[in-house]
Amino acid sequence: MAPVAGSSFFQEARLPEQRAVEGVAFPAVLVPAGGPPGPGEGSLDEFLATVRSERASRVEPLLREAGAVLLRGFPARTAADFDAAVEAFGYEELPYVGGAAPRTNVVGRVFTANESPPDQKIPFHHEMAQVPTFPAKLFFFCEVEPKSGGETPIVLSHYVYKRMKENFPEFVEKLEKHGLIYTRVLGEGDDPSSPIGRGWQSTFLTKDKAVAEERAVKLGMKLEWTDNGVKTVMGPIPAVKWDESRGRKIWFNSMVAAYTGWKDARNDPVKAVTFGDGSPLPADVIEECGKILEEECVAVPWQQGDILLIDNWAVLHSRRSFEPPRRVLASLCK
């Protein structure tokens, strides 16, 4: 890992997995100036103080330019350390209401990342793109690095939009006109065997159907109750958004994830997502979009203590299958 000169506690570095996208290193990588601390060196408090003092001047300009920043080699080792690091960044927490993934609160603002089985890969998506209130930023933290696999590949959304527009202009035009409708059937409790196994009680943070209805309405979601769960219908909602801060269109949807991955005992992925006018999505275009996402992505193998900060307006993420152990934690911010 070759350091790039800088004048702060943080210094930029290069990793072999990084790629240059439109002249910008993706993701940006920050390491401790002077190399990683040895045992007993470099306190967590010093790291947290640096985050507080250099967030606005150092980290955020990189995040804005690159879309994702990997912090590597810093003294965060536990879930509690990660929680303190997220707190030091000072972003407001976003409650996980309406998301599909089964997650468990670990400490403070920290949750497990999607707990679906290790042999399942999780397709590319913007976090909570299928609901109107989604995080602006998200953090991932590697508490236990995988034995093998288990990367969290990332890809720049505006570049995916650009490639899709070039290759499938009519499809993109229809998508921009009609948006998407997402449909998901939820059980009562969580089903950890499914990547979308979050039950309705934890989705809406209540056991009361009337309260669930109220919260669904706030999300713009329609509920149809069944004997053993509920069918949720969301949309039409936009599949392409305008990133105001960067002045560009982004591929802000969970189309490929829903069409290829929203599969369990209750859900048929082909019915999980349609055009906003109700017409089916073309399987061949979805497949090609999946290939573009894979072609353009970067997958940096996790190391214990890594913190990955993602701008959810700029970057889609996924998860590769892995050989346990692996424990990656997450925190969502407004």
PDB file of all heavy atoms in Angstrom, residues 49 57 63 115-116 120 144 153 168 170 186 207 209 213 247 254-255 259 272 307-308 315-316 325 334:
ATOM      1  N   ALA A  49     -10.514  12.061  17.925  1.00  0.00           N
ATOM      2  CA  ALA A  49     -10.275  13.512  17.922  1.00  0.00           C
ATOM      3  C   ALA A  49      -9.932  13.998  16.516  1.00  0.00           C
ATOM      4  O   ALA A  49     -10.372  15.077  16.085  1.00  0.00           O
ATOM      5  CB  ALA A  49      -9.154  13.854  18.896  1.00  0.00           C
ATOM      6  N   SER A  57     -12.545  19.147   6.709  1.00  0.00           N
ATOM      7  CA  SER A  57     -11.454  19.629   5.851  1.00  0.00           C
ATOM      8  C   SER A  57     -10.829  18.521   5.011  1.00  0.00           C
ATOM      9  O   SER A  57     -10.331  18.765   3.917  1.00  0.00           O
ATOM     10  CB  SER A  57     -10.363  20.272   6.710  1.00  0.00           C
ATOM     11  OG  SER A  57      -9.822  19.309   7.605  1.00  0.00           O
ATOM     12  N   LEU A  63     -14.795  12.257   0.155  1.00  0.00           N
ATOM     13  CA  LEU A  63     -16.054  11.525  -0.020  1.00  0.00           C
ATOM     14  C   LEU A  63     -16.864  12.121  -1.164  1.00  0.00           C
ATOM     15  O   LEU A  63     -17.432  11.400  -1.986  1.00  0.00           O
ATOM     16  CB  LEU A  63     -16.870  11.559   1.276  1.00  0.00           C
ATOM     17  CG  LEU A  63     -18.174  10.765   1.261  1.00  0.00           C
ATOM     18  CD1 LEU A  63     -17.925   9.275   1.137  1.00  0.00           C
ATOM     19  CD2 LEU A  63     -18.995  11.064   2.517  1.00  0.00           C
ATOM     20  N   GLU A 115     -27.799 -10.192   7.495  1.00  0.00           N
ATOM     21  CA  GLU A 115     -27.411 -11.455   8.123  1.00  0.00           C
ATOM     22  C   GLU A 115     -27.774 -12.681   7.298  1.00  0.00           C
ATOM     23  O   GLU A 115     -27.852 -13.786   7.819  1.00  0.00           O
ATOM     24  CB  GLU A 115     -28.055 -11.557   9.509  1.00  0.00           C
ATOM     25  CG  GLU A 115     -27.532 -10.532  10.497  1.00  0.00           C
ATOM     26  CD  GLU A 115     -28.251 -10.572  11.838  1.00  0.00           C
ATOM     27  OE1 GLU A 115     -29.489 -10.651  11.840  1.00  0.00           O
ATOM     28  OE2 GLU A 115     -27.582 -10.520  12.865  1.00  0.00           O
ATOM     29  N   SER A 116     -28.017 -12.507   5.992  1.00  0.00           N
ATOM     30  CA  SER A 116     -28.381 -13.668   5.178  1.00  0.00           C
ATOM     31  C   SER A 116     -27.198 -14.636   5.091  1.00  0.00           C
ATOM     32  O   SER A 116     -26.053 -14.248   5.294  1.00  0.00           O
ATOM     33  CB  SER A 116     -28.825 -13.217   3.785  1.00  0.00           C
ATOM     34  OG  SER A 116     -27.779 -12.567   3.115  1.00  0.00           O
ATOM     35  N   GLN A 120     -24.942 -17.027   0.106  1.00  0.00           N
ATOM     36  CA  GLN A 120     -25.750 -16.150  -0.752  1.00  0.00           C
ATOM     37  C   GLN A 120     -25.006 -14.848  -1.011  1.00  0.00           C
ATOM     38  O   GLN A 120     -24.485 -14.242  -0.081  1.00  0.00           O
ATOM     39  CB  GLN A 120     -27.093 -15.825  -0.089  1.00  0.00           C
ATOM     40  CG  GLN A 120     -27.971 -17.031   0.112  1.00  0.00           C
ATOM     41  CD  GLN A 120     -29.308 -16.662   0.752  1.00  0.00           C
ATOM     42  OE1 GLN A 120     -29.629 -15.496   0.947  1.00  0.00           O
ATOM     43  NE2 GLN A 120     -30.095 -17.671   1.085  1.00  0.00           N
ATOM     44  N   VAL A 144     -14.616  -8.830  12.200  1.00  0.00           N
ATOM     45  CA  VAL A 144     -13.915 -10.105  11.969  1.00  0.00           C
ATOM     46  C   VAL A 144     -13.769 -10.277  10.462  1.00  0.00           C
ATOM     47  O   VAL A 144     -14.768 -10.319   9.742  1.00  0.00           O
ATOM     48  CB  VAL A 144     -14.710 -11.300  12.552  1.00  0.00           C
ATOM     49  CG1 VAL A 144     -13.979 -12.614  12.286  1.00  0.00           C
ATOM     50  CG2 VAL A 144     -14.961 -11.114  14.045  1.00  0.00           C
ATOM     51  N   PRO A 153     -18.404  -5.199  -2.629  1.00  0.00           N
ATOM     52  CA  PRO A 153     -18.070  -4.441  -3.843  1.00  0.00           C
ATOM     53  C   PRO A 153     -18.889  -3.156  -3.930  1.00  0.00           C
ATOM     54  O   PRO A 153     -20.036  -3.094  -3.480  1.00  0.00           O
ATOM     55  CB  PRO A 153     -18.453  -5.408  -4.978  1.00  0.00           C
ATOM     56  CG  PRO A 153     -18.446  -6.764  -4.349  1.00  0.00           C
ATOM     57  CD  PRO A 153     -18.928  -6.527  -2.951  1.00  0.00           C
ATOM     58  N   PHE A 168     -28.909   1.007 -23.544  1.00  0.00           N
ATOM     59  CA  PHE A 168     -30.361   0.723 -23.583  1.00  0.00           C
ATOM     60  C   PHE A 168     -31.163   2.017 -23.453  1.00  0.00           C
ATOM     61  O   PHE A 168     -31.907   2.209 -22.482  1.00  0.00           O
ATOM     62  CB  PHE A 168     -30.741  -0.248 -22.448  1.00  0.00           C
ATOM     63  CG  PHE A 168     -29.941  -1.518 -22.455  1.00  0.00           C
ATOM     64  CD1 PHE A 168     -28.895  -1.693 -21.547  1.00  0.00           C
ATOM     65  CD2 PHE A 168     -30.205  -2.520 -23.378  1.00  0.00           C
ATOM     66  CE1 PHE A 168     -28.143  -2.854 -21.569  1.00  0.00           C
ATOM     67  CE2 PHE A 168     -29.455  -3.689 -23.399  1.00  0.00           C
ATOM     68  CZ  PHE A 168     -28.416  -3.856 -22.495  1.00  0.00           C
ATOM     69  N   GLU A 170     -33.867   3.257 -24.844  1.00  0.00           N
ATOM     70  CA  GLU A 170     -35.340   3.180 -24.761  1.00  0.00           C
ATOM     71  C   GLU A 170     -35.782   2.663 -23.398  1.00  0.00           C
ATOM     72  O   GLU A 170     -36.758   3.144 -22.815  1.00  0.00           O
ATOM     73  CB  GLU A 170     -35.882   2.278 -25.880  1.00  0.00           C
ATOM     74  CG  GLU A 170     -35.762   2.931 -27.257  1.00  0.00           C
ATOM     75  CD  GLU A 170     -36.147   1.979 -28.378  1.00  0.00           C
ATOM     76  OE1 GLU A 170     -36.641   0.867 -28.090  1.00  0.00           O
ATOM     77  OE2 GLU A 170     -35.950   2.354 -29.549  1.00  0.00           O
ATOM     78  N   LEU A 186     -44.014 -10.060   3.438  1.00  0.00           N
ATOM     79  CA  LEU A 186     -43.300 -10.161   4.715  1.00  0.00           C
ATOM     80  C   LEU A 186     -44.010 -11.124   5.643  1.00  0.00           C
ATOM     81  O   LEU A 186     -45.244 -11.103   5.733  1.00  0.00           O
ATOM     82  CB  LEU A 186     -43.260  -8.796   5.422  1.00  0.00           C
ATOM     83  CG  LEU A 186     -42.287  -7.715   4.949  1.00  0.00           C
ATOM     84  CD1 LEU A 186     -42.482  -7.345   3.497  1.00  0.00           C
ATOM     85  CD2 LEU A 186     -42.434  -6.476   5.819  1.00  0.00           C
ATOM     86  N   LYS A 207     -45.585  -4.225  16.982  1.00  0.00           N
ATOM     87  CA  LYS A 207     -46.363  -5.472  16.862  1.00  0.00           C
ATOM     88  C   LYS A 207     -47.829  -5.163  16.578  1.00  0.00           C
ATOM     89  O   LYS A 207     -48.652  -6.062  16.454  1.00  0.00           O
ATOM     90  CB  LYS A 207     -46.233  -6.296  18.147  1.00  0.00           C
ATOM     91  CG  LYS A 207     -44.814  -6.845  18.333  1.00  0.00           C
ATOM     92  CD  LYS A 207     -44.703  -7.760  19.531  1.00  0.00           C
ATOM     93  CE  LYS A 207     -43.291  -8.340  19.598  1.00  0.00           C
ATOM     94  NZ  LYS A 207     -43.087  -9.183  20.776  1.00  0.00           N
ATOM     95  N   LYS A 209     -50.722  -3.849  14.227  1.00  0.00           N
ATOM     96  CA  LYS A 209     -50.995  -3.691  12.785  1.00  0.00           C
ATOM     97  C   LYS A 209     -51.420  -2.268  12.432  1.00  0.00           C
ATOM     98  O   LYS A 209     -51.075  -1.751  11.371  1.00  0.00           O
ATOM     99  CB  LYS A 209     -52.070  -4.692  12.327  1.00  0.00           C
ATOM    100  CG  LYS A 209     -51.576  -6.126  12.258  1.00  0.00           C
ATOM    101  CD  LYS A 209     -52.643  -7.061  11.705  1.00  0.00           C
ATOM    102  CE  LYS A 209     -52.119  -8.493  11.627  1.00  0.00           C
ATOM    103  NZ  LYS A 209     -53.129  -9.422  11.082  1.00  0.00           N
ATOM    104  N   GLU A 213     -49.610   0.155   9.796  1.00  0.00           N
ATOM    105  CA  GLU A 213     -50.335   0.833   8.705  1.00  0.00           C
ATOM    106  C   GLU A 213     -49.954   2.322   8.645  1.00  0.00           C
ATOM    107  O   GLU A 213     -49.681   2.858   7.574  1.00  0.00           O
ATOM    108  CB  GLU A 213     -51.857   0.718   8.919  1.00  0.00           C
ATOM    109  CG  GLU A 213     -52.427  -0.662   8.700  1.00  0.00           C
ATOM    110  CD  GLU A 213     -52.780  -0.945   7.235  1.00  0.00           C
ATOM    111  OE1 GLU A 213     -52.527  -0.079   6.374  1.00  0.00           O
ATOM    112  OE2 GLU A 213     -53.289  -2.040   6.970  1.00  0.00           O
ATOM    113  N   GLY A 247     -24.611  17.470  -9.477  1.00  0.00           N
ATOM    114  CA  GLY A 247     -25.184  17.859 -10.774  1.00  0.00           C
ATOM    115  C   GLY A 247     -25.171  16.747 -11.804  1.00  0.00           C
ATOM    116  O   GLY A 247     -24.775  16.940 -12.950  1.00  0.00           O
ATOM    117  N   SER A 254     -33.089  -0.419  -6.686  1.00  0.00           N
ATOM    118  CA  SER A 254     -32.728  -1.777  -6.265  1.00  0.00           C
ATOM    119  C   SER A 254     -33.259  -2.771  -7.291  1.00  0.00           C
ATOM    120  O   SER A 254     -33.628  -3.897  -6.945  1.00  0.00           O
ATOM    121  CB  SER A 254     -33.304  -2.078  -4.874  1.00  0.00           C
ATOM    122  OG  SER A 254     -32.759  -1.202  -3.918  1.00  0.00           O
ATOM    123  N   MET A 255     -33.299  -2.358  -8.553  1.00  0.00           N
ATOM    124  CA  MET A 255     -33.926  -3.143  -9.625  1.00  0.00           C
ATOM    125  C   MET A 255     -33.276  -4.517  -9.786  1.00  0.00           C
ATOM    126  O   MET A 255     -33.950  -5.546  -9.745  1.00  0.00           O
ATOM    127  CB  MET A 255     -33.823  -2.352 -10.929  1.00  0.00           C
ATOM    128  CG  MET A 255     -34.450  -3.005 -12.118  1.00  0.00           C
ATOM    129  SD  MET A 255     -34.222  -1.940 -13.574  1.00  0.00           S
ATOM    130  CE  MET A 255     -32.516  -2.300 -13.988  1.00  0.00           C
ATOM    131  N   TYR A 259     -34.970  -8.022  -8.665  1.00  0.00           N
ATOM    132  CA  TYR A 259     -35.307  -8.937  -9.760  1.00  0.00           C
ATOM    133  C   TYR A 259     -34.534 -10.249  -9.658  1.00  0.00           C
ATOM    134  O   TYR A 259     -35.014 -11.297 -10.077  1.00  0.00           O
ATOM    135  CB  TYR A 259     -35.023  -8.259 -11.109  1.00  0.00           C
ATOM    136  CG  TYR A 259     -35.673  -8.952 -12.290  1.00  0.00           C
ATOM    137  CD1 TYR A 259     -36.939  -8.563 -12.739  1.00  0.00           C
ATOM    138  CD2 TYR A 259     -35.021  -9.972 -12.976  1.00  0.00           C
ATOM    139  CE1 TYR A 259     -37.532  -9.175 -13.827  1.00  0.00           C
ATOM    140  CE2 TYR A 259     -35.601 -10.593 -14.068  1.00  0.00           C
ATOM    141  CZ  TYR A 259     -36.863 -10.196 -14.498  1.00  0.00           C
ATOM    142  OH  TYR A 259     -37.443 -10.810 -15.576  1.00  0.00           O
ATOM    143  N   ALA A 272     -41.255  -9.114  -7.947  1.00  0.00           N
ATOM    144  CA  ALA A 272     -40.849  -8.183  -6.885  1.00  0.00           C
ATOM    145  C   ALA A 272     -40.691  -6.763  -7.403  1.00  0.00           C
ATOM    146  O   ALA A 272     -40.815  -5.810  -6.643  1.00  0.00           O
ATOM    147  CB  ALA A 272     -39.547  -8.657  -6.252  1.00  0.00           C
ATOM    148  N   ILE A 307     -12.883   0.657   8.190  1.00  0.00           N
ATOM    149  CA  ILE A 307     -14.145   1.413   8.204  1.00  0.00           C
ATOM    150  C   ILE A 307     -14.349   1.953   6.795  1.00  0.00           C
ATOM    151  O   ILE A 307     -13.477   2.641   6.256  1.00  0.00           O
ATOM    152  CB  ILE A 307     -14.103   2.583   9.213  1.00  0.00           C
ATOM    153  CG1 ILE A 307     -13.963   2.047  10.650  1.00  0.00           C
ATOM    154  CG2 ILE A 307     -15.356   3.449   9.092  1.00  0.00           C
ATOM    155  CD1 ILE A 307     -13.786   3.132  11.712  1.00  0.00           C
ATOM    156  N   LEU A 308     -15.475   1.607   6.201  1.00  0.00           N
ATOM    157  CA  LEU A 308     -15.799   2.087   4.857  1.00  0.00           C
ATOM    158  C   LEU A 308     -16.972   3.050   4.949  1.00  0.00           C
ATOM    159  O   LEU A 308     -18.053   2.682   5.413  1.00  0.00           O
ATOM    160  CB  LEU A 308     -16.161   0.903   3.942  1.00  0.00           C
ATOM    161  CG  LEU A 308     -16.577   1.233   2.502  1.00  0.00           C
ATOM    162  CD1 LEU A 308     -15.438   1.903   1.730  1.00  0.00           C
ATOM    163  CD2 LEU A 308     -17.052  -0.024   1.769  1.00  0.00           C
ATOM    164  N   VAL A 315     -22.990   5.882  -4.642  1.00  0.00           N
ATOM    165  CA  VAL A 315     -22.421   4.534  -4.761  1.00  0.00           C
ATOM    166  C   VAL A 315     -23.452   3.460  -4.415  1.00  0.00           C
ATOM    167  O   VAL A 315     -24.179   3.581  -3.434  1.00  0.00           O
ATOM    168  CB  VAL A 315     -21.192   4.420  -3.814  1.00  0.00           C
ATOM    169  CG1 VAL A 315     -20.706   2.997  -3.687  1.00  0.00           C
ATOM    170  CG2 VAL A 315     -20.062   5.323  -4.304  1.00  0.00           C
ATOM    171  N   LEU A 316     -23.487   2.405  -5.259  1.00  0.00           N
ATOM    172  CA  LEU A 316     -24.230   1.185  -4.930  1.00  0.00           C
ATOM    173  C   LEU A 316     -23.247   0.200  -4.302  1.00  0.00           C
ATOM    174  O   LEU A 316     -22.046   0.224  -4.600  1.00  0.00           O
ATOM    175  CB  LEU A 316     -24.821   0.526  -6.177  1.00  0.00           C
ATOM    176  CG  LEU A 316     -25.800   1.315  -7.050  1.00  0.00           C
ATOM    177  CD1 LEU A 316     -25.089   1.892  -8.259  1.00  0.00           C
ATOM    178  CD2 LEU A 316     -26.934   0.409  -7.543  1.00  0.00           C
ATOM    179  N   PRO A 325     -15.263 -17.404   9.383  1.00  0.00           N
ATOM    180  CA  PRO A 325     -16.081 -16.363  10.009  1.00  0.00           C
ATOM    181  C   PRO A 325     -16.036 -15.051   9.232  1.00  0.00           C
ATOM    182  O   PRO A 325     -15.118 -14.830   8.450  1.00  0.00           O
ATOM    183  CB  PRO A 325     -15.394 -16.187  11.371  1.00  0.00           C
ATOM    184  CG  PRO A 325     -13.948 -16.487  11.094  1.00  0.00           C
ATOM    185  CD  PRO A 325     -13.946 -17.562  10.041  1.00  0.00           C
ATOM    186  N   LYS A 334     -28.447  10.024   8.310  1.00  0.00           N
ATOM    187  CA  LYS A 334     -29.288  10.902   7.510  1.00  0.00           C
ATOM    188  C   LYS A 334     -28.439  11.725   6.557  1.00  0.00           C
ATOM    189  O   LYS A 334     -27.280  12.006   6.864  1.00  0.00           O
ATOM    190  CB  LYS A 334     -30.089  11.840   8.414  1.00  0.00           C
ATOM    191  CG  LYS A 334     -31.215  11.111   9.134  1.00  0.00           C
ATOM    192  CD  LYS A 334     -32.066  12.067   9.957  1.00  0.00           C
ATOM    193  CE  LYS A 334     -33.195  11.307  10.657  1.00  0.00           C
ATOM    194  NZ  LYS A 334     -33.977  12.158  11.555  1.00  0.00           N
TER     195      LYS A 334
END
